[in-house]
Short mmCIF file of all heavy atoms in Angstrom, two decimals:
data_model
loop_
_atom_site.label_atom_id
_atom_site.label_comp_id
_atom_site.label_asym_id
_atom_site.label_seq_id
_atom_site.Cartn_x
_atom_site.Cartn_y
_atom_site.Cartn_z
N MET A 1 5.13 53.77 39.93
CA MET A 1 5.87 53.70 41.19
C MET A 1 4.97 53.23 42.32
O MET A 1 3.82 53.64 42.41
CB MET A 1 6.40 55.10 41.55
CG MET A 1 7.55 55.54 40.64
SD MET A 1 8.06 57.23 41.00
CE MET A 1 8.73 57.00 42.66
N PRO A 2 5.45 52.40 43.18
CA PRO A 2 4.65 51.96 44.32
C PRO A 2 4.45 53.10 45.32
O PRO A 2 5.33 53.95 45.47
CB PRO A 2 5.49 50.84 44.94
CG PRO A 2 6.89 51.14 44.53
CD PRO A 2 6.79 51.80 43.17
N GLN A 3 3.31 53.10 45.95
CA GLN A 3 3.03 54.16 46.92
C GLN A 3 3.27 53.64 48.33
O GLN A 3 2.41 53.04 48.96
CB GLN A 3 1.60 54.64 46.79
CG GLN A 3 1.37 55.39 45.48
CD GLN A 3 -0.01 55.98 45.40
OE1 GLN A 3 -0.89 55.59 46.15
NE2 GLN A 3 -0.22 56.91 44.48
N GLY A 4 4.44 53.86 48.82
CA GLY A 4 4.76 53.47 50.19
C GLY A 4 4.62 54.64 51.12
O GLY A 4 4.26 55.73 50.70
N ILE A 5 4.92 54.43 52.37
CA ILE A 5 4.90 55.53 53.33
C ILE A 5 6.25 56.24 53.25
O ILE A 5 7.29 55.66 53.51
CB ILE A 5 4.65 55.01 54.76
CG1 ILE A 5 3.26 54.36 54.83
CG2 ILE A 5 4.75 56.15 55.76
CD1 ILE A 5 2.96 53.72 56.17
N ALA A 6 6.19 57.49 52.86
CA ALA A 6 7.43 58.25 52.71
C ALA A 6 7.94 58.71 54.06
O ALA A 6 7.18 58.87 55.01
CB ALA A 6 7.18 59.45 51.82
N LYS A 7 9.21 58.94 54.11
CA LYS A 7 9.79 59.46 55.35
C LYS A 7 9.20 60.81 55.71
O LYS A 7 9.16 61.19 56.86
CB LYS A 7 11.31 59.58 55.20
CG LYS A 7 12.00 58.24 55.22
CD LYS A 7 13.50 58.42 55.16
CE LYS A 7 14.19 57.06 55.20
NZ LYS A 7 15.65 57.21 55.12
N ALA A 8 8.73 61.51 54.71
CA ALA A 8 8.13 62.82 54.95
C ALA A 8 6.84 62.72 55.75
O ALA A 8 6.37 63.71 56.28
CB ALA A 8 7.87 63.52 53.63
N ASN A 9 6.30 61.52 55.83
CA ASN A 9 5.06 61.35 56.58
C ASN A 9 5.29 61.14 58.07
O ASN A 9 4.34 60.98 58.82
CB ASN A 9 4.27 60.16 56.04
CG ASN A 9 3.59 60.52 54.72
OD1 ASN A 9 3.49 61.68 54.37
ND2 ASN A 9 3.12 59.52 54.01
N LEU A 10 6.51 61.14 58.49
CA LEU A 10 6.78 61.01 59.92
C LEU A 10 6.18 62.20 60.67
O LEU A 10 6.21 63.31 60.18
CB LEU A 10 8.28 60.96 60.17
CG LEU A 10 8.97 59.69 59.66
CD1 LEU A 10 10.48 59.82 59.86
CD2 LEU A 10 8.47 58.47 60.40
N PRO A 11 5.64 61.96 61.84
CA PRO A 11 5.06 63.06 62.61
C PRO A 11 6.11 64.06 63.04
O PRO A 11 7.28 63.73 63.21
CB PRO A 11 4.43 62.35 63.82
CG PRO A 11 5.11 61.04 63.91
CD PRO A 11 5.53 60.67 62.53
N GLU A 12 5.66 65.28 63.22
CA GLU A 12 6.57 66.34 63.64
C GLU A 12 5.98 67.09 64.82
O GLU A 12 4.77 67.16 65.00
CB GLU A 12 6.81 67.33 62.51
CG GLU A 12 7.74 66.83 61.44
CD GLU A 12 8.13 67.95 60.48
OE1 GLU A 12 7.65 69.09 60.65
OE2 GLU A 12 8.93 67.69 59.58
N LYS A 13 6.86 67.68 65.60
CA LYS A 13 6.45 68.59 66.66
C LYS A 13 7.35 69.82 66.59
O LYS A 13 8.41 69.78 65.99
CB LYS A 13 6.59 67.93 68.04
CG LYS A 13 5.65 66.77 68.26
CD LYS A 13 5.79 66.24 69.67
CE LYS A 13 4.84 65.07 69.90
NZ LYS A 13 4.91 64.58 71.30
N THR A 14 6.93 70.87 67.25
CA THR A 14 7.77 72.06 67.32
C THR A 14 8.31 72.21 68.74
O THR A 14 7.55 72.18 69.70
CB THR A 14 6.97 73.32 66.94
OG1 THR A 14 6.48 73.17 65.61
CG2 THR A 14 7.85 74.55 67.01
N CYS A 15 9.59 72.35 68.83
CA CYS A 15 10.22 72.50 70.12
C CYS A 15 9.89 73.88 70.71
O CYS A 15 10.09 74.89 70.05
CB CYS A 15 11.73 72.34 69.95
SG CYS A 15 12.65 72.65 71.47
N PRO A 16 9.36 73.94 71.92
CA PRO A 16 8.99 75.23 72.52
C PRO A 16 10.18 76.07 72.94
O PRO A 16 10.04 77.25 73.24
CB PRO A 16 8.16 74.81 73.74
CG PRO A 16 8.65 73.46 74.09
CD PRO A 16 9.05 72.81 72.79
N VAL A 17 11.35 75.49 72.96
CA VAL A 17 12.54 76.24 73.37
C VAL A 17 13.20 76.91 72.18
O VAL A 17 13.41 78.12 72.17
CB VAL A 17 13.54 75.31 74.08
CG1 VAL A 17 14.85 76.04 74.37
CG2 VAL A 17 12.93 74.78 75.37
N CYS A 18 13.52 76.13 71.17
CA CYS A 18 14.23 76.70 70.02
C CYS A 18 13.29 77.00 68.85
O CYS A 18 13.70 77.55 67.85
CB CYS A 18 15.36 75.78 69.58
SG CYS A 18 14.83 74.18 68.97
N GLN A 19 12.00 76.64 69.01
CA GLN A 19 10.98 76.96 67.99
C GLN A 19 11.26 76.29 66.66
O GLN A 19 10.83 76.76 65.62
CB GLN A 19 10.86 78.48 67.80
CG GLN A 19 10.43 79.20 69.06
CD GLN A 19 9.04 78.79 69.53
OE1 GLN A 19 8.11 78.71 68.73
NE2 GLN A 19 8.88 78.52 70.80
N ARG A 20 11.98 75.20 66.69
CA ARG A 20 12.26 74.48 65.45
C ARG A 20 11.45 73.20 65.41
O ARG A 20 11.29 72.54 66.45
CB ARG A 20 13.74 74.11 65.37
CG ARG A 20 14.64 75.31 65.22
CD ARG A 20 16.08 74.83 65.14
NE ARG A 20 17.01 75.96 65.06
CZ ARG A 20 18.33 75.83 65.04
NH1 ARG A 20 18.89 74.64 65.14
NH2 ARG A 20 19.10 76.88 64.95
N PRO A 21 10.96 72.87 64.22
CA PRO A 21 10.26 71.60 64.09
C PRO A 21 11.25 70.44 64.12
O PRO A 21 12.36 70.55 63.61
CB PRO A 21 9.59 71.71 62.72
CG PRO A 21 10.42 72.67 61.96
CD PRO A 21 11.01 73.62 62.97
N PHE A 22 10.83 69.38 64.77
CA PHE A 22 11.67 68.19 64.75
C PHE A 22 10.81 66.98 64.47
O PHE A 22 9.63 66.93 64.83
CB PHE A 22 12.43 68.02 66.08
CG PHE A 22 11.55 67.91 67.30
CD1 PHE A 22 11.24 66.67 67.83
CD2 PHE A 22 11.05 69.03 67.92
CE1 PHE A 22 10.44 66.55 68.95
CE2 PHE A 22 10.25 68.94 69.05
CZ PHE A 22 9.95 67.68 69.57
N ALA A 23 11.40 66.03 63.78
CA ALA A 23 10.64 64.88 63.31
C ALA A 23 10.81 63.69 64.25
O ALA A 23 11.78 63.59 65.00
CB ALA A 23 11.08 64.50 61.91
N TRP A 24 9.86 62.82 64.15
CA TRP A 24 9.87 61.56 64.89
C TRP A 24 11.19 60.83 64.68
O TRP A 24 11.72 60.80 63.58
CB TRP A 24 8.70 60.72 64.38
CG TRP A 24 8.49 59.43 65.08
CD1 TRP A 24 7.66 59.21 66.13
CD2 TRP A 24 9.08 58.16 64.76
NE1 TRP A 24 7.71 57.89 66.48
CE2 TRP A 24 8.56 57.22 65.66
CE3 TRP A 24 10.00 57.72 63.79
CZ2 TRP A 24 8.92 55.88 65.63
CZ3 TRP A 24 10.38 56.40 63.76
CH2 TRP A 24 9.84 55.49 64.67
N ARG A 25 11.68 60.28 65.74
CA ARG A 25 12.89 59.46 65.63
C ARG A 25 12.62 58.09 66.22
O ARG A 25 11.80 57.94 67.13
CB ARG A 25 14.05 60.10 66.39
CG ARG A 25 14.48 61.40 65.75
CD ARG A 25 15.61 62.01 66.52
NE ARG A 25 15.82 63.40 66.13
CZ ARG A 25 16.68 64.21 66.73
NH1 ARG A 25 17.39 63.77 67.74
NH2 ARG A 25 16.82 65.43 66.32
N LYS A 26 13.34 57.14 65.72
CA LYS A 26 13.10 55.76 66.13
C LYS A 26 13.30 55.57 67.63
O LYS A 26 12.59 54.82 68.28
CB LYS A 26 14.04 54.83 65.36
CG LYS A 26 13.64 53.38 65.50
CD LYS A 26 14.43 52.53 64.54
CE LYS A 26 13.92 51.10 64.57
NZ LYS A 26 14.66 50.24 63.63
N LYS A 27 14.24 56.31 68.18
CA LYS A 27 14.49 56.17 69.62
C LYS A 27 13.33 56.66 70.46
O LYS A 27 13.24 56.37 71.64
CB LYS A 27 15.78 56.91 70.00
CG LYS A 27 15.67 58.41 69.94
CD LYS A 27 16.96 59.04 70.46
CE LYS A 27 16.85 60.56 70.46
NZ LYS A 27 18.07 61.16 71.03
N TRP A 28 12.41 57.44 69.82
CA TRP A 28 11.25 57.94 70.53
C TRP A 28 10.01 57.09 70.26
O TRP A 28 8.90 57.48 70.63
CB TRP A 28 10.96 59.37 70.13
CG TRP A 28 12.00 60.35 70.57
CD1 TRP A 28 12.78 60.25 71.70
CD2 TRP A 28 12.37 61.57 69.93
NE1 TRP A 28 13.60 61.34 71.78
CE2 TRP A 28 13.38 62.17 70.72
CE3 TRP A 28 11.94 62.22 68.78
CZ2 TRP A 28 13.96 63.38 70.37
CZ3 TRP A 28 12.53 63.42 68.44
CH2 TRP A 28 13.52 64.00 69.22
N ALA A 29 10.19 55.98 69.60
CA ALA A 29 9.04 55.19 69.16
C ALA A 29 8.09 54.86 70.31
O ALA A 29 6.88 54.90 70.16
CB ALA A 29 9.53 53.92 68.50
N ARG A 30 8.65 54.58 71.45
CA ARG A 30 7.80 54.18 72.59
C ARG A 30 7.35 55.37 73.42
O ARG A 30 6.54 55.23 74.32
CB ARG A 30 8.59 53.22 73.49
CG ARG A 30 8.84 51.88 72.83
CD ARG A 30 9.81 51.06 73.66
NE ARG A 30 9.33 50.89 75.03
CZ ARG A 30 10.06 50.38 76.02
NH1 ARG A 30 11.28 49.97 75.79
NH2 ARG A 30 9.56 50.24 77.21
N ASP A 31 7.90 56.52 73.13
CA ASP A 31 7.71 57.64 74.04
C ASP A 31 7.33 58.93 73.33
O ASP A 31 7.44 60.01 73.88
CB ASP A 31 9.03 57.86 74.80
CG ASP A 31 8.77 58.47 76.18
OD1 ASP A 31 7.68 58.27 76.73
OD2 ASP A 31 9.66 59.17 76.69
N TRP A 32 6.85 58.80 72.11
CA TRP A 32 6.60 59.99 71.29
C TRP A 32 5.63 60.96 71.96
O TRP A 32 5.79 62.17 71.89
CB TRP A 32 6.12 59.55 69.91
CG TRP A 32 5.80 60.70 69.00
CD1 TRP A 32 4.58 61.00 68.47
CD2 TRP A 32 6.70 61.71 68.49
NE1 TRP A 32 4.68 62.11 67.67
CE2 TRP A 32 5.96 62.58 67.67
CE3 TRP A 32 8.05 61.96 68.67
CZ2 TRP A 32 6.53 63.67 67.02
CZ3 TRP A 32 8.63 63.05 68.01
CH2 TRP A 32 7.87 63.89 67.21
N ASP A 33 4.61 60.44 72.59
CA ASP A 33 3.62 61.32 73.22
C ASP A 33 4.24 62.18 74.32
O ASP A 33 3.72 63.25 74.64
CB ASP A 33 2.49 60.48 73.83
CG ASP A 33 1.55 59.96 72.76
OD1 ASP A 33 1.62 60.44 71.62
OD2 ASP A 33 0.75 59.07 73.08
N ASN A 34 5.31 61.71 74.89
CA ASN A 34 5.94 62.44 75.99
C ASN A 34 7.09 63.34 75.53
O ASN A 34 7.66 64.05 76.34
CB ASN A 34 6.46 61.45 77.04
CG ASN A 34 5.30 60.72 77.71
OD1 ASN A 34 4.26 61.31 77.99
ND2 ASN A 34 5.48 59.45 77.96
N VAL A 35 7.41 63.21 74.27
CA VAL A 35 8.51 64.04 73.76
C VAL A 35 8.01 65.46 73.51
O VAL A 35 7.03 65.67 72.82
CB VAL A 35 9.07 63.44 72.45
CG1 VAL A 35 10.12 64.36 71.85
CG2 VAL A 35 9.67 62.06 72.72
N VAL A 36 8.67 66.41 74.13
CA VAL A 36 8.27 67.81 73.97
C VAL A 36 9.39 68.62 73.33
O VAL A 36 9.13 69.46 72.47
CB VAL A 36 7.92 68.43 75.34
CG1 VAL A 36 7.57 69.91 75.20
CG2 VAL A 36 6.77 67.66 75.98
N TYR A 37 10.61 68.33 73.71
CA TYR A 37 11.75 69.12 73.23
C TYR A 37 12.56 68.34 72.21
O TYR A 37 12.59 67.11 72.24
CB TYR A 37 12.63 69.53 74.42
CG TYR A 37 11.83 70.20 75.51
CD1 TYR A 37 11.53 69.53 76.69
CD2 TYR A 37 11.34 71.49 75.32
CE1 TYR A 37 10.78 70.14 77.68
CE2 TYR A 37 10.58 72.10 76.30
CZ TYR A 37 10.30 71.43 77.48
OH TYR A 37 9.54 72.02 78.44
N CYS A 38 13.24 69.09 71.35
CA CYS A 38 13.95 68.45 70.27
C CYS A 38 15.21 67.74 70.75
O CYS A 38 15.73 66.87 70.07
CB CYS A 38 14.31 69.49 69.20
SG CYS A 38 15.55 70.68 69.74
N SER A 39 15.69 68.14 71.90
CA SER A 39 16.96 67.59 72.36
C SER A 39 17.07 67.69 73.88
O SER A 39 16.31 68.42 74.53
CB SER A 39 18.12 68.35 71.72
OG SER A 39 18.10 69.70 72.15
N GLU A 40 17.99 66.96 74.41
CA GLU A 40 18.25 67.04 75.85
C GLU A 40 18.64 68.47 76.25
O GLU A 40 18.26 68.97 77.29
CB GLU A 40 19.40 66.08 76.19
CG GLU A 40 19.68 65.96 77.65
CD GLU A 40 18.61 65.19 78.40
OE1 GLU A 40 17.78 64.51 77.76
OE2 GLU A 40 18.61 65.25 79.63
N ARG A 41 19.37 69.10 75.37
CA ARG A 41 19.80 70.48 75.64
C ARG A 41 18.60 71.41 75.83
O ARG A 41 18.56 72.20 76.78
CB ARG A 41 20.66 70.94 74.46
CG ARG A 41 21.21 72.35 74.65
CD ARG A 41 21.98 72.75 73.39
NE ARG A 41 22.47 74.10 73.53
CZ ARG A 41 23.76 74.46 73.40
NH1 ARG A 41 24.66 73.55 73.11
NH2 ARG A 41 24.12 75.71 73.52
N CYS A 42 17.63 71.31 74.96
CA CYS A 42 16.46 72.16 75.07
C CYS A 42 15.63 71.78 76.30
O CYS A 42 15.06 72.63 76.96
CB CYS A 42 15.61 72.06 73.80
SG CYS A 42 16.29 73.02 72.43
N ARG A 43 15.57 70.52 76.59
CA ARG A 43 14.80 70.08 77.75
C ARG A 43 15.38 70.70 79.03
O ARG A 43 14.66 71.17 79.90
CB ARG A 43 14.84 68.56 77.84
CG ARG A 43 13.83 67.99 78.79
CD ARG A 43 13.63 66.49 78.56
NE ARG A 43 14.80 65.71 78.90
CZ ARG A 43 15.00 65.16 80.10
NH1 ARG A 43 14.09 65.26 81.02
NH2 ARG A 43 16.07 64.47 80.34
N ARG A 44 16.67 70.70 79.11
CA ARG A 44 17.32 71.28 80.30
C ARG A 44 17.17 72.79 80.31
O ARG A 44 16.99 73.40 81.35
CB ARG A 44 18.81 70.91 80.30
CG ARG A 44 19.01 69.44 80.58
CD ARG A 44 20.47 69.08 80.57
NE ARG A 44 20.65 67.64 80.80
CZ ARG A 44 21.83 67.04 80.78
NH1 ARG A 44 22.92 67.73 80.52
NH2 ARG A 44 21.92 65.75 81.00
N ALA A 45 17.25 73.40 79.14
CA ALA A 45 17.10 74.85 79.06
C ALA A 45 15.72 75.28 79.54
O ALA A 45 15.57 76.29 80.22
CB ALA A 45 17.33 75.30 77.62
N ALA A 46 14.72 74.50 79.22
CA ALA A 46 13.36 74.83 79.62
C ALA A 46 13.21 74.74 81.13
O ALA A 46 12.54 75.58 81.75
CB ALA A 46 12.39 73.88 78.94
N LYS A 47 13.83 73.77 81.72
CA LYS A 47 13.68 73.59 83.16
C LYS A 47 14.50 74.58 83.96
O LYS A 47 14.13 74.97 85.05
CB LYS A 47 14.09 72.15 83.54
CG LYS A 47 13.05 71.15 83.05
CD LYS A 47 13.35 69.76 83.57
CE LYS A 47 12.24 68.80 83.13
NZ LYS A 47 12.50 67.44 83.64
N SER A 48 15.62 75.00 83.40
CA SER A 48 16.48 75.93 84.13
C SER A 48 15.94 77.34 84.09
O SER A 48 16.34 78.19 84.85
CB SER A 48 17.90 75.88 83.57
OG SER A 48 17.91 76.42 82.25
N GLY A 49 15.01 77.60 83.12
CA GLY A 49 14.47 78.95 83.02
C GLY A 49 13.50 79.20 84.13
O GLY A 49 12.91 80.21 84.26
ZN1 ZN B 101 14.82 72.62 70.72
#
């Protein structure tokens, strides 16, 4: 079998709001370093607290 880059190799972070790991998404390709929360919902929850 050829050894390609598996999807499992995508980087992950843990969301500080819901404490769940979330994986890199294509829409974050340009902004991954700035991504902290798994979703807009968590981002807003963090700021409203
Ligand atoms: Zn979250």
Side-chain angles (χ1 to χ4, degrees):
M1 288 175 66
Q3 291 185 343
I5 297 176
K7 287 184 179 179
N9 284 345
L10 291 175
E12 284 191 358
K13 293 184 180 183
T14 300
C15 175
V17 174
C18 64
Q19 299 297 315
R20 292 181 183 177
F22 59 98
W24 184 94
R25 293 180 194 174
K26 193 170 186 179
K27 70 175 182 177
W28 292 330
R30 292 171 55 190
D31 208 26
W32 179 243
D33 285 346
N34 294 321
V35 175
V36 177
Y37 307 106
C38 69
S39 63
E40 186 72 14
R41 182 183 178 125
C42 282
R43 194 164 67 93
R44 290 179 182 177
K47 288 187 177 181
S48 68

